[in-house]
Amino acid sequence: MSLRHAVLGLLAELGGGSGYDLLKLFELSLDNVWPATQSQLYGELGKLTEAGLIEVAAEGPRGRREYRITPSGTTELHRWLVDVPPKPNRRDETLLRVFFLGELTPAEARGYLDDQAEAIGRRAAALAEVADAVDWNEDGGMADNGRFVLEYGRRFYEMRRDWLRWVAAEIAAREASREAREPAPDGER
Amino acid sequence: MSLRHAVLGLLAELGGGSGYDLLKLFELSLDNVWPATQSQLYGELGKLTEAGLIEVAAEGPRGRREYRITPSGTTELHRWLVDVPPKPNRRDETLLRVFFLGELTPAEARGYLDDQAEAIGRRAAALAEVADAVDWNEDGGMADNGRFVLEYGRRFYEMRRDWLRWVAAEIAAREASREAREPAPDGER
DNA sequence: GACCACATGTAAGGAGTTACATGATTAA
DNA sequence: TTAATCATGTAACTCCTTACATGTGGTC
């Protein structure tokens, strides 16, 4: 139920906003933290209103509804932040593939790992561009916390790429030692 | 649709097994890679059979059905391994909380981050125990790939803990500089 | 005979994705 | 006037979780 708290958090930090406003923020700021689709978001706003955690502060043109967090919403956000242990992410497609690398030939496996490491490099570069583009002059508020998240991304990609290279090297080493023991009849490949 | 491929992968590596066998393996080996519940697993086995990717090789006592991967299942597994780009995990409850740390007082935030870093330490220790308990003598096969995954876990926890400590330090530093500019009326806290 | 491990099935609901659908306002 | 942006709603589907449900075979 984290979408709920993402919405509460944004409304708390912004002081209020419409579903549309929030949607843009999800795309801009939370895309690699907690993505949400339009469909999901509007549904959640309805549920949050019904639960009394947010309320409609004003109505504008084009059916725009400006939401605002309520006191009980603020309480709930705080409770979630400090008292609810974050649920670790236990699914990882890349790990699953690596777990089954034995189904590939060593050459295929190394090719796969190299490709993945390269793909990570591209994403890391894109992240670095985002980080450069943001104006960090402002102090406090969301931008600062966004900086923490960007730094996480940087460390994550770095760790991930190093690990992929390490696995590739391990496989290469294993293959080399196998080759040494039983010389290949027709060379490697 | 990765559950499907997790099942295919296990059946490929094992040479076959019942739903019950696979369930035990999911709990034992894939719990931090791609967890699956009993309910999900039996459902998927049915769908995979219908799709012709696996087949019932034998029936045993207690209604036991021993599944085996088919040639088209092997093809599909291989295709998934090399041709389908892994979908990155874009949701992280911890990152979401850090994004909203501004809703807490600096003291609360630092307390939170310290707790999280400690929790990671406990999980890292548990992982290290698992790693020690496994017999790595056997060469190739699942155990070896499992080693890669364990090493990933080790690196992940380390990165994560370092990052949490870094964020806590950043917040402390920010608070210290704020304190210096405008001396607190009643001391910190 | 009782218990544990083996073995499978189903139902209800939450969360997320994709697609379809509609309309109002504003700026060029 | 036309296009882009603003603004919301809903339906269908997949995936995952939790819970309930049932029965068999081996071992003490």
Side-chain angles (χ1 to χ4, degrees), chain A residues 89 91 144 147 170 174, chain B residues 89 144 147 170 174:
Chain A
N89 229 334
R91 290 196 169 85
D144 232 46
R147 200 178 115 245
E170 286 285 307
R174 187 207 290 166
Chain B
N89 229 331
D144 232 45
R147 202 179 113 245
E170 286 285 307
R174 187 208 291 167

Side-chain angles (χ1 to χ4, degrees), chain A residues 4-125:
Chain A
R4 146 162 312 205
H5 299 100
V7 172
L8 287 175
L10 286 178
L11 284 177
E13 304 241 346
L14 291 175
S18 67
Y20 191 85
D21 292 342
L22 293 172
L23 185 60
K24 295 298 145 190
L25 265 177
F26 268 97
E27 284 163 5
L28 210 96
S29 305
L30 293 179
D31 204 44
N32 280 292
V33 173
W34 205 270
T37 60
Q38 180 257 35
S39 165
Q40 236 187 320
L41 185 49
Y42 283 105
E44 194 60 43
L45 286 169
K47 286 185 218 161
L48 279 163
T49 307
E50 216 179 331
L53 301 178
I54 64 175
E55 64 191 359
V56 176
E59 311 222 350
R62 286 175 276 207
R64 174 188 175 93
R65 250 166 298 162
E66 186 113 7
Y67 291 95
R68 183 171 52 190
I69 192 167
T70 64
S72 83
T74 305
T75 305
E76 169 57 21
L77 176 60
H78 192 272
R79 187 193 67 82
W80 175 78
L81 275 169
V82 297
D83 291 340
V84 182
K87 189 160 53 172
N89 229 334
R90 284 158 73 219
R91 290 196 169 85
D92 190 314
E93 285 202 12
T94 299
L95 288 188
L96 186 58
R97 281 178 178 80
V98 169
F99 197 81
F100 293 133
L101 275 189
E103 297 299 308
L104 301 181
T105 65
E108 280 178 319
R110 270 181 286 123
Y112 177 75
L113 294 164
D114 290 346
D115 287 352
Q116 290 304 308
E118 206 200 312
I120 295 261
R122 279 194 303 273
R123 269 183 281 160

